[in-house]
Amino acid sequence: MGKIYYLILLVFFGFISCKSTYTRIGDKNANYIPYFLKVYEADSLYLAGNYERSYQILDSLFKNYEPINLSLYFEYEKYIKRSAQFNKVKNEDVKKIVKFYDYRIEDIKKDSLLNLAFNKTKFSEKKINRLHASFTKKVDTVYRNLINQMNFRDQKIRLYGEIDWSEVRKVDLENDSLLKVQLEEKGFPNIKKVGSWKRIKSEMDGKNVDLEVIINHLSSYDSFDYYKVKIDSFVKMGLCAPKVFGRFVDKKSLKDNKESYYYLIPFDLNIKKIKGEGLIKEINTRRKKVGLPSIEYDLYWYNCVFIIKNKV
C-alpha cells in the first residue's frame, strides 16, 4: 500500500512539474523571446519546403508554449495544416484555433489543408460555429471600438487634405492619454482580447484594431520611454509582436537623425544598404535579444513572399 501511495505521489508531482514549465500568453514571468526565434526557424524551413522538420520544431515548441499564431507567420495555422498532411491532427488544436484565434468555418472550408484537418476531427459545422461564438462572446468590444476610433482619428488628420501639424499633435496626445489608461487597466489588445481585423458582430463593427501605427506616431513625444518599457514587457509576455517594438524604436532613431537601430524601417531598401559583416552581426545580436528575426531571414522571407505573390 505504501509503495502504491508513493508511486501516486511521484506521478502527481511529476505532472505538476511538467505543467509548471508550460508558458502561457500573458504570464507575468513569461519569456516568449525563445518562442519567436523558433517560429522563424520553423518558418524558414517551411518556406524552403521542408515541411516535416518545420512541423517537428513547432510540435516541440507547442509542448512548452501556448501558441501565438503571429501575423505574417501564422505558425499555429501552418502546424495544423501539416498535421493534416502527416495524419497527426489533434481535435484540441482545431478547437483552439477556432475558439481562441478567430478562425471561422468559412476560413476553414476555403483552405484545402485546414478543411482536411477539420474533416479528420469529424466536428460538425454547428460545433465549429458554437466554438467561434464563445470567442466573440469574450471580445472586449468597448476596447476594440476605442482602438478603431483612435486609428480613425490618427489617419483622418494625416491622409485627407493638407496636414495641420498642430492638429496632428493634438490628436496624438489625446490618443496617448487614452492608450496609457487602457494599457494599464486592460493590458495589450491582442487577438483574444479585442478580436482580429475580421468583423465581430455586424458591418458597422470597427475592425482596425492594430496599434502599430498609433504607437509609431507616439514615438515622437515625451512618452517614448514609457512605451519602450511597456511594449518590451508585452513582447516578452507573448502579447505583442516583436516587430511592433522594433519599428517603434526605429521610428524614434530615424526621427533623431540616426540610423535605424534594428533596420526594420524602411524595410528592404535599408537592409540592402548595410555593408560589412561586423555591422550585420551587431544588428542581428540586437534583433535576437528582443525576439526579432535575423537580417538574412528577413530578406529571405521578403523575397519568398513576393515571388509567391507574383506567381499567383
Side-chain angles (χ1 to χ4, degrees), residues 207-251:
K207 61 179 185 176
N208 191 348
V209 291
D210 190 341
L211 275 183
E212 184 173 342
V213 172
I214 291 173
I215 287 172
N216 277 355
H217 290 157
L218 297 182
S219 66
S220 301
Y221 300 97
D222 293 339
S223 296
F224 174 81
D225 290 336
Y226 167 84
Y227 287 111
K228 185 178 180 183
V229 172
K230 203 72 178 173
I231 298 167
D232 182 48
S233 70
F234 288 139
V235 170
K236 286 189 174 72
M237 288 191 284
L239 294 165
C240 177
K243 285 190 174 180
V244 174
F245 176 80
R247 291 185 183 119
F248 170 76
V249 173
D250 273 2
K251 188 81 171 178

Side-chain angles (χ1 to χ4, degrees), residues 4 30 40 55 60 104 107 123 137-138 145 155 159 179 183 252 261 270 273 279 294 301 309:
I4 295 174
Y40 308 139
Y55 173 85
S60 177
R104 309 165 188 209
D107 300 321
F123 290 151
K137 188 176 180 181
K138 292 178 181 177
N145 289 330
Q155 294 300 293
L159 298 180
L179 184 57
L183 293 180
K252 173 69 171 173
Y261 190 73
N270 208 351
K273 289 178 182 177
L279 180 57
S294 68
W301 184 92
K309 185 177 180 181

